[in-house]
Amino acid sequence: MASFELNKSKQQVSTMIKQGFISDFFLSPPPSSFSSSPSDLTRPIQSPIRSAPSPTLFEMMTEEQTRDSRPSTHLHSLDTARTRIEERVARVLYGAPFRNPSDWGLGFGDVKLTITARDGFSVSMDVHREVLASRSQFFKEKLGRRSGSHHSVEICECDDVEVYLETLVLMYFDDPKKKMMGEGVSKILGLLKVCDALKFNDGISSCLEYLEAVPWSEEEEERVISNLNELNLHNDHDVLQRVAMEPSTSSRIDDIFLRLLTGVLQAKDEKARKEMKTLISRLLKEENSSYNKLEISKETLYTICNKCLTSLILCLSEATSCDENRGMMSEIAREADNLEWVVEILIEKRIGEEFVKLWSDQNELAVLHSKVPIMYRHKISRITAQLCIAIGRGNILVPKETRVSLLSTWLESLYDDFGWMKRSSKTVDRRLIEDGVSQIILTLPLLQQQAFLMSWFDRFLEKGDDCPNIQRAFEIWWRRAFVRQPVVESQLQITVCDCDYPS
């Protein structure tokens, strides 16, 4: 009875060890103090609470099982991959004419062909010399010089044994393209590569005709272009006509672009107009990437820009010459929006300098602007804000005189419309506008900074939050003017004189 209780107690302890509740002294590593060097003995003794607990038997067994399972998992994955390859190869061989020659009216094969992959996997089969030599220049050269009734040929270091077998099967068909029906673009590209290597001309033509007829995804399109260029087949077939054309003249590109922009600017459906604006803007940004194939002339863009500006002036003139016409007022907002979009394109393409000068000279437009209700005219001030932001960021470089003229003509209007601008659209970032105005003012001579900032000071006290807050620029001007006046040091003077040395 005592023995039974003892055994039961041992089993309970063993179970607790396995479950990690207690550690086994004999299975735990020895204390670190036994392996310490003499210099370690002088170190302060660490509290036993901070020392890492010894691994339990359960943890050690789990770690060992995990370690032992890694090689077997790797081998299992290799076996699975090999099994899949063998299954695919078996499916190809199952319906191959050379495997069932009697069903195809053929005799027994007279060429033993072995195809070996890079990993050593190989397939051997009996094929027909007459078929291979008549369809493939590669086999004609290999087999044509040999005499005898039976031959052996081996193709080594293949990338894909399955694709080589499928190419051999295609050689037994008068119209290989029919056999390809339903295959994906990736499979056809693989067949094309092997057909080219084996100089199987009918196979090459069939692959190209198939690729020309089927749709491609964008990813497949890149692969098609890459493969045809790699095989030097890009000039042999019209398969690439859907993605390539003869080099276009600049006039042709400008005509297309002019038609697109004009269509958007004159669109009747507002929702469609906004969608196409977004689309064209995105495409033009892609143009600036490394795949730039489109070069729109500066003259074309400024032709459109001048048309938009002329239309805006006409709308303002008509609106101010008669009683308030809501239809005409809404047209002002539309024309201002069109011009803002074209200016955005100019800035994106780094050719906005001429427009800054053009906009600075619009004194007549600025006068008409002040006569239109703010709810319709505020989009015009967004153009001024665009230019201030671009100049402040250094994206547009214009002379000092042009910067002064821009602010003199349009800054007061921007102050007037600022409240409506920030409330009417979520896309207006007041911080960007304030930074842009601040930066452009601070690029001017000190006296002109003073003139613009003192004017802002009065306006801000009057309108408060409806006026841009550029007090940071005001502080910088103040320190420049009254705190950190630079001291001009005397220049080093060098005098050259002749000296007579005694002989």
Side-chain angles (χ1 to χ4, degrees), residues 109-114 124-128 150-154:
D110 52 359
V111 176
K112 184 176 182 59
L113 178 63
T114 302
S124 296
M125 67 217 80
D126 292 328
V127 293
H128 300 80
H150 203 82
H151 306 281
S152 295
V153 177
E154 182 176 2

Side-chain angles (χ1 to χ4, degrees), residues 418-483:
F418 186 73
W420 264 90
M421 286 170 56
K422 66 178 185 174
R423 285 191 294 268
S424 64
S425 176
K426 295 180 180 179
T427 61
V428 173
D429 189 332
R430 64 172 296 165
R431 299 301 180 192
L432 286 179
I433 298 174
E434 291 167 349
D435 289 345
V437 173
S438 297
Q439 294 295 341
I440 192 173
I441 290 176
L442 292 173
T443 62
L444 303 177
L446 205 57
L447 286 177
Q448 290 171 327
Q449 292 179 41
Q450 175 180 327
F452 285 114
L453 288 169
M454 292 300 293
S455 173
W456 164 82
F457 187 83
D458 295 335
R459 180 62 66 93
F460 187 75
L461 290 175
E462 177 186 346
K463 298 188 67 176
D465 200 42
D466 281 346
C467 180
N469 189 342
I470 56 173
Q471 59 178 298
R472 178 62 179 163
F474 189 89
E475 292 177 23
I476 294 174
W477 160 74
W478 180 271
R479 295 189 186 101
R480 286 175 176 176
F482 305 114
V483 180

Side-chain angles (χ1 to χ4, degrees), residues 12-24 55-58:
Q12 291 176 347
V13 172
S14 178
T15 302
M16 294 178 70
I17 290 175
K18 290 181 179 180
Q19 294 179 354
F21 290 112
I22 60 175
S23 59
D24 190 337
T56 63
L57 176 60
F58 177 73

